[in-house]
Amino acid sequence: MKLRNFGLAASALAIAFTLPVAAQAANLTMGMDSEPSSIDPHYHNLGPNNALRRHMFESLTGQDEKQKLYPLLAESWKPTSETTWEFKLRKGVKFHDGSDFTAKDVIFSACRVPNVPNSPSSFESFTKAIADFKTPDPYTLIVETDGPSPLIPTYFANWGILSSTAAGVTGDIKYDKENCGLDNFPSTVDFNSGKAAIGTGPYKFKEFVKGDRLVMEKNDGYWGDAAEWDVVTMKPITNAAARMAALLAGDVDFIAAPPTQDLKKLEEDPKFDVAQGLSNRVIYLHMDQYGPTTNGITGTGKADAKYEGEGPCAEKECEKNPLLDVRVRQALSKAINRDAIVQKIMGGVAVAAGELLPQGFFGTNPGMEPEAYDPEGAKKLLAEAGYPNGFELVLGTPNDRYINDAKVAQVIAQMFTRVGIKTSVNAMTKSVFFKTRNKYEFSVYLAGWGAGTGEMSNPLRALVGTRSKETGLGGTNRGRYSNPALDEKILTALKTVDDAQREAILQEASRMAMEDYSILPLHFEVTSWAHRKGLTYAARADQYTLATGVHATK
Amino acid sequence: MLAFTIRRLSQSVVVLFVMSIIVFAGVYAIGNPVDILINPEADIAEQEATIKRLGLDKPLWVQYGAFMSNALQGDLGNSFVHNVPALEIIFARLPATLELAILAVGLAIIIGVPLGMIAGLKDDSFIGKTIMTGSILGFSLPTFWVGLILIMFFSVSLGWLPASGRGDTVDVFGIPVSLLTWDGLSHLFLPAFNLALFKMSLVIRLARSGTKEVLLQDYIKFARAKGISNARIICVHVLKNILIPVITVLGLELGNVIAFAVVTETVFAWPGIGKLLIDSIANLDRPVVVAYLLLTVTMFILINFVVDILYSVLDPRVRLGGSN
């Protein structure tokens, strides 16, 4: 039989090629829930890429587990005037190719950031405040900004530094907003092949096989504490059940985002452990507060005025928008039993939210409580607002984006229905959800927000600032809430370099946004990681999964 | 034959063209890739700049026209997510899926044909009935569930085989192959077996009914009368005659496996093109989705073509009929 012969030949070959597998204690294999789209640190401003970047390409400042800044390639920094910052750079730092790190590399990297072809999400937002760089000596960097820019040190934690020498730059670089007269930036492809993947980080690029694995090895010349693992392998296993199985089978030592229903089992298992921490991601409800009519609400009757502007109501007849009335928004908030959601739906891996960032983050109001559950109060408010019999509402939600997103929406729909607002849920996959939301088709929708900067100006600016190209506010304000007084506060905060003053302004702005029920925060997600016994992981508020945070217990 | 080939090819071009329009419009209708790809912290000006940079601000037909004129020059566009040509990504992932598919179909034949023949030869025995019941399970159990059970049993409980990913590979003419290392094979076995289950059941059923039918034929009776050993009758005369339907069906199934091994690849985190398709749809990576589906259509056309030819080789009657 030919087939049988083939089988024999195959097994003979297999034995011939068998390689001894040496057990190495200092290797770490991680199962990741998503894959970076590129090794290029300036290509795609998105979670998995940013997390990966931190292993190989360092930035001037770093953000710790609670997103507090700490010195990295810059030893110290301070504002020297309203529009200048002085960074003292670390000496004796070497890139993976052996070249020295100086201020020139920072300027080179800042020049490249806006010049990455086809970038689907640019890092330019972190560099565009820069007007010019001055370098009195190679280890002092003066950053001049267009107007006061208090978040410069935070922004500088978000883009990685490349080696200008490795890119073949010989002379000095004169900074400008275009490309600094340079045209030989390394390409994204060169990073993915490892050719240009030269940073200063504790780990060096070794291998990247898209869809299968990313391998990094220890950088022996690292300036700081040596990396703990000789080789780190990151495997994208996007299916949660498969990721869990890989951990149980011992294929991987560590996984990101274990399935919530398995957490209890993992905690009780003597072979595994779970690391958990409060994230900066708030799950919220946005409410359409734009026109006199709205798309997803019926039973409110004809509106007093005509709808003008973007959205489905510009093309068809819609009914009156009750969400313009603050009493209705407050009633919605009171109708939600946040504690029940946290306990019953989230299984305890969430914390009820009273603001857009968890307590203790910069700009939050100490002691601010989540809205208390008060269905009777909600009914009363609805009656006062002129809706004693309520109305009908469609609640939009993605079903594959946030932890238990569609389930949470279902429960909220029941809670709304209980106070008289007959609510149905329209759940859809994230790509369709975001498109529908961006066309303003939802009157109320559930979504989430993670504050990349870890302070209050970030969610306020994006979620409740009036949408405007000029001010840069309202990028994700798809409820189109608008309050000029609040805008004023946010913009002032963004220009106040003094930390204490800025914090006070942000606290007040946050209070204003909450008191006006501009947006309804629901809860903060608790992020989980699981690993075999003998490891520890410091849970991060930014939800990044970092090999540098995984330690072996001694 | 030539006329047949030409007609077949021109049909294929039309099919490809129609597919490109359907797929392009379909992905366009789902949503805007920028909504998924861009960091939500970007302000309105940055969002608009990105949309413009990727050419997504233009009307659908303009985007399609640009795509088509590039495609005619062999360029199916760059992946929005990875910024490399879509075809490059697909071809980089193809070997992983191909070896999975080939091993799966191989397993289906190696295990399925003998089992099916036994079931056909011993139709009423306990063994025959057990095999047939087993094949019903192979048909009806959902692939992802079987995959997880396989993992739980062989990887988690017994610890014999790895649960996910692709093992060590050896480059053969620049193509990474994991069939040649022990580590690679051990990673390959479970997903290939999972993928093979359905096909195996199919082969068992085909082989069984084929065997039952062939056993009643005059030439078998004649061979028996001539005193030819039972083993030779089964291994030569029966086997050869039941292979025709098996090859026809497996040819098409091979195409299915290559194109849509999505579930298995997801469960076993196998870095093949099925997983790539799912990820690309989730990210609305239009160039990759379009290129993938166009390639799939091309592949099906080719496979059908090859099956037709194989068929005529195995069964002279087909060839004779074709030339009439």
Side-chain angles (χ1 to χ4, degrees):
Chain A
M1 272 295 309
K2 285 212 173 82
L3 286 174
R4 200 176 297 153
N5 289 344
F6 173 76
L8 280 176
S11 47
L13 266 175
I15 293 162
F17 280 89
T18 299
L19 295 167
V21 182
Q24 279 161 314
N27 289 0
L28 179 71
T29 309
M30 307 167 82
M32 313 295 278
D33 57 334
S34 53
E35 189 186 16
S37 57
S38 171
I39 306 293
D40 185 342
H42 300 154
Y43 172 64
H44 197 170
N45 179 12
L46 217 60
N49 293 44
N50 291 343
L52 173 70
R53 192 270 293 163
R54 286 165 158 76
H55 297 92
M56 294 186 277
F57 305 91
E58 288 177 300
S59 39
L60 289 193
T61 59
Q63 278 176 312
D64 68 7
E65 292 85 13
K66 299 262 171 276
Q67 292 184 292
K68 290 246 170 359
L69 289 184
Y70 67 91
L72 213 51
L73 288 179
E75 281 181 318
S76 66
W77 55 90
K78 59 170 193 278
T80 45
S81 79
E82 282 282 283
T83 57
T84 47
W85 286 80
E86 185 188 84
F87 287 81
K88 286 284 184 199
L89 305 186
R90 198 175 292 277
K91 288 175 189 156
V93 175
K94 286 200 185 301
F95 283 98
H96 296 157
D97 68 341
S99 57
D100 285 315
F101 161 73
T102 64
K104 196 168 109 180
D105 301 308
V106 182
I107 304 176
F108 172 74
S109 305
C111 292
R112 181 174 185 261
V113 165
N115 288 294
V116 183
N118 299 324
S119 164
S121 184
S122 173
F123 286 82
E124 220 181 322
S125 33
F126 301 121
T127 61
K128 70 177 172 201
I130 301 167
D132 203 0
F133 286 110
K134 294 268 165 7
T135 50
D137 66 79
Y139 295 98
T140 304
L141 184 74
I142 311 283
V143 184
E144 294 176 1
T145 57
D146 303 326
S149 188
L151 291 175
I152 280 285
T154 310
Y155 290 160
F156 277 32
N158 284 287
W159 49 280
I161 305 297
L162 306 177
S163 162
S164 59
T165 327
V169 179
T170 45
D172 275 339
I173 306 172
K174 177 84 195 74
Y175 184 80
D176 64 49
K177 293 225 164 194
E178 285 299 309
N179 56 9
C180 315
L182 298 169
D183 52 8
N184 54 345
F185 294 113
S187 74
T188 301
V189 177
D190 287 341
F191 283 95
N192 293 343
S193 70
K195 205 174 110 194
I198 297 163
T200 60
Y203 288 99
K204 290 194 287 193
F205 177 93
K206 189 161 177 228
E207 193 190 13
F208 180 40
V209 182
K210 250 183 216 137
D212 186 36
R213 64 185 178 274
L214 173 97
V215 188
M216 296 181 289
E217 59 188 357
K218 183 177 182 171
N219 170 17
D220 290 319
Y222 187 57
W223 58 267
D225 293 339
E228 186 162 343
W229 308 102
D230 293 326
V231 177
V232 171
T233 308
M234 293 182 168
K235 286 174 165 290
I237 309 178
T238 41
N239 181 284
R243 204 159 53 240
M244 181 76 181
L247 177 71
L248 294 179
D251 283 11
V252 296
D253 304 307
F254 181 98
I255 58 169
T260 35
Q261 68 270 22
D262 291 330
L263 286 174
K264 218 172 132 60
K265 203 179 119 201
L266 279 172
E267 275 168 351
E268 286 163 4
D269 195 314
K271 285 189 288 188
F272 301 101
D273 247 336
V274 173
Q276 283 186 329
L278 192 59
S279 77
N280 62 19
R281 196 198 297 286
V282 62
I283 303 298
Y284 62 81
L285 294 183
H286 238 148
M287 296 157 290
D288 178 11
Q289 293 162 67
Y290 176 70
T293 64
T294 188
N295 187 42
I297 287 180
T298 48
T300 51
K302 249 175 107 65
D304 328 322
K306 227 172 104 35
Y307 183 98
E308 273 166 33
E310 271 183 280
C313 292
E315 283 142 33
K316 61 167 196 184
E317 283 281 295
C318 296
E319 292 196 41
K320 188 176 170 187
N321 184 0
L323 299 167
L324 296 175
D325 190 327
V326 67
R327 289 170 296 187
V328 175
R329 303 201 294 271
Q330 191 182 357
L332 291 182
S333 191
K334 281 182 182 297
I336 301 167
N337 186 345
R338 290 174 175 76
D339 290 330
I341 294 174
V342 166
Q343 292 311 322
K344 300 274 157 57
I345 308 299
M346 300 299 290
V349 289
V351 170
E355 273 181 298
L356 295 172
L357 271 175
Q359 285 282 300
F361 278 74
F362 190 88
T364 52
N365 290 288
M368 186 91 147
E369 292 282 326
E371 179 90 31
Y373 176 52
D374 178 12
E376 289 314 311
K379 280 184 201 161
K380 229 169 85 193
L381 279 166
L382 280 176
E384 266 175 42
Y387 304 99
N389 301 318
F391 45 84
E392 284 174 34
L393 170 69
V394 180
L395 174 63
T397 177
N399 56 18
D400 52 2
R401 178 66 190 86
Y402 312 103
I403 303 174
N404 297 333
D405 39 16
K407 279 191 214 159
V408 173
Q410 288 290 357
V411 170
I412 290 176
Q414 289 171 23
M415 292 169 176
F416 283 171
T417 305
R418 207 169 298 158
V419 299
I421 302 166
K422 213 172 149 224
T423 306
S424 58
V425 171
N426 190 0
M428 50 190 91
T429 185
K430 60 178 186 235
S431 46
V432 181
F433 170 80
F434 286 122
K435 173 193 172 160
T436 315
R437 177 195 75 173
N438 290 359
K439 285 162 82 183
Y440 306 109
E441 289 187 16
F442 298 124
S443 292
V444 181
Y445 70 83
L446 178 145
W449 184 265
T453 58
E455 47 76 59
M456 189 57 87
S457 75
N458 176 288
L460 288 180
R461 176 182 169 184
L463 298 178
V464 294
T466 308
R467 274 178 78 74
S468 153
K469 215 166 145 176
E470 285 69 38
T471 59
L473 298 185
T476 310
N477 179 1
R478 299 291 183 170
R480 288 188 283 185
Y481 170 78
S482 173
N483 178 351
L486 182 59
D487 291 351
E488 191 58 45
K489 282 264 177 313
I490 301 170
L491 290 171
T492 314
L494 285 168
K495 289 198 176 62
T496 306
V497 176
D498 184 281
D499 275 350
Q501 263 182 46
R502 186 169 78 257
E503 177 152 36
I505 301 170
L506 285 174
Q507 285 172 337
E508 203 188 327
S510 173
R511 212 164 35 234
M512 276 169 78
M514 293 301 109
E515 277 164 7
D516 202 17
Y517 295 92
S518 55
I519 187 168
L520 306 181
L522 300 173
H523 57 260
F524 303 108
E525 289 183 355
V526 168
T527 319
S528 309
W529 291 265
H531 50 78
R532 63 172 168 80
K533 264 268 158 40
L535 298 178
T536 60
Y537 188 70
R540 293 184 63 91
D542 52 22
Q543 302 187 312
Y544 289 159
T545 303
L546 303 180
T548 45
V550 184
H551 301 291
T553 44
K554 298 277 149 39
Chain B
M1 195 71 191
L2 183 70
F4 172 72
T5 313
I6 291 172
R7 200 173 64 229
R8 201 58 181 273
L9 282 177
S10 54
Q11 278 172 355
S12 318
V13 172
V14 176
V15 171
L16 279 177
F17 178 69
V18 174
M19 268 304 281
S20 72
I21 294 181
I22 296 174
V23 174
F24 206 85
V27 185
Y28 184 90
I30 295 176
N32 189 341
V34 171
D35 294 340
I36 303 281
L37 295 175
I38 201 165
N39 193 310
E41 295 182 19
D43 62 34
I44 300 169
E46 286 158 4
Q47 290 170 7
E48 284 180 2
T50 307
I51 289 171
K52 214 166 160 195
R53 187 162 55 227
L54 296 174
L56 296 167
D57 53 336
K58 303 193 181 84
L60 175 62
W61 61 273
V62 176
Q63 290 186 38
Y64 180 76
F67 165 79
M68 221 33 207
S69 76
N70 285 333
L72 291 176
Q73 296 161 31
D75 172 13
L76 289 179
N78 266 12
S79 155
F80 291 147
V81 178
H82 303 283
N83 197 17
V84 284
L87 280 178
E88 197 178 285
I89 296 188
I90 294 172
F91 283 126
R93 294 278 191 97
L94 198 55
T97 298
L98 277 182
E99 63 183 7
L100 188 63
I102 290 169
L103 191 63
V105 170
L107 280 177
I109 294 175
I110 294 170
I111 302 174
V113 171
L115 284 183
M117 285 174 77
I118 293 171
L121 291 168
K122 316 210 161 171
D123 199 20
D124 286 327
S125 71
F126 174 72
I127 272 203
K129 282 182 179 146
T130 312
I131 292 173
M132 290 323 285
T133 316
S135 79
I136 294 174
L137 285 182
F139 268 122
S140 45
L141 294 178
T143 316
F144 72 89
W145 186 81
V146 175
L148 287 174
I149 292 296
L150 287 176
I151 291 177
M152 288 314 286
F153 191 68
F154 288 104
S155 307
V156 178
S157 301
L158 297 174
W160 289 352
L161 293 165
S164 64
R166 200 177 178 207
D168 291 338
T169 55
V170 175
D171 275 8
V172 178
F173 306 117
I175 299 166
V177 180
S178 51
L179 280 168
L180 299 177
T181 64
W182 182 242
D183 185 52
L185 268 181
S186 68
H187 278 85
L188 193 53
F189 185 74
L190 280 188
F193 184 75
N194 186 33
L195 204 53
L197 263 188
F198 181 85
K199 272 141 275 292
M200 213 182 285
S201 311
L202 205 62
V203 170
I204 288 176
R205 308 217 128 212
L206 286 170
R208 173 179 169 263
S209 62
T211 308
K212 281 178 74 178
E213 203 183 305
V214 168
L215 280 178
L216 298 174
Q217 298 287 320
D218 288 345
Y219 59 81
I220 300 289
K221 288 178 190 158
F222 186 65
R224 285 226 166 98
K226 267 175 71 181
I228 295 174
S229 75
N230 204 28
R232 186 168 162 80
I233 289 176
I234 292 165
C235 291
V236 179
H237 298 284
V238 176
L239 182 65
K240 211 169 161 187
N241 284 292
I242 62 170
L243 277 184
I244 292 171
V246 171
I247 285 185
T248 317
V249 170
L250 279 186
L252 288 173
E253 281 293 317
L254 178 69
N256 259 330
V257 170
I258 295 172
F260 306 113
V262 175
V263 175
T264 297
E265 290 190 1
T266 308
V267 172
F268 289 90
W270 187 259
I273 50 174
K275 197 156 160 283
L276 174 70
L277 177 68
I278 287 295
D279 293 344
S280 301
I281 291 176
N283 288 325
L284 295 175
D285 197 347
R286 194 185 303 153
V288 176
V289 178
V290 174
Y292 177 91
L293 289 171
L294 291 185
L295 272 182
T296 309
V297 173
T298 313
M299 187 181 70
F300 270 99
I301 291 167
L302 277 177
I303 287 179
N304 272 324
F305 201 71
V306 172
V307 165
D308 281 350
I309 290 168
L310 265 185
Y311 205 69
S312 72
V313 170
L314 269 175
D315 188 350
R317 284 172 302 177
V318 175
R319 199 160 51 224
L320 292 174
S323 63
N324 276 345

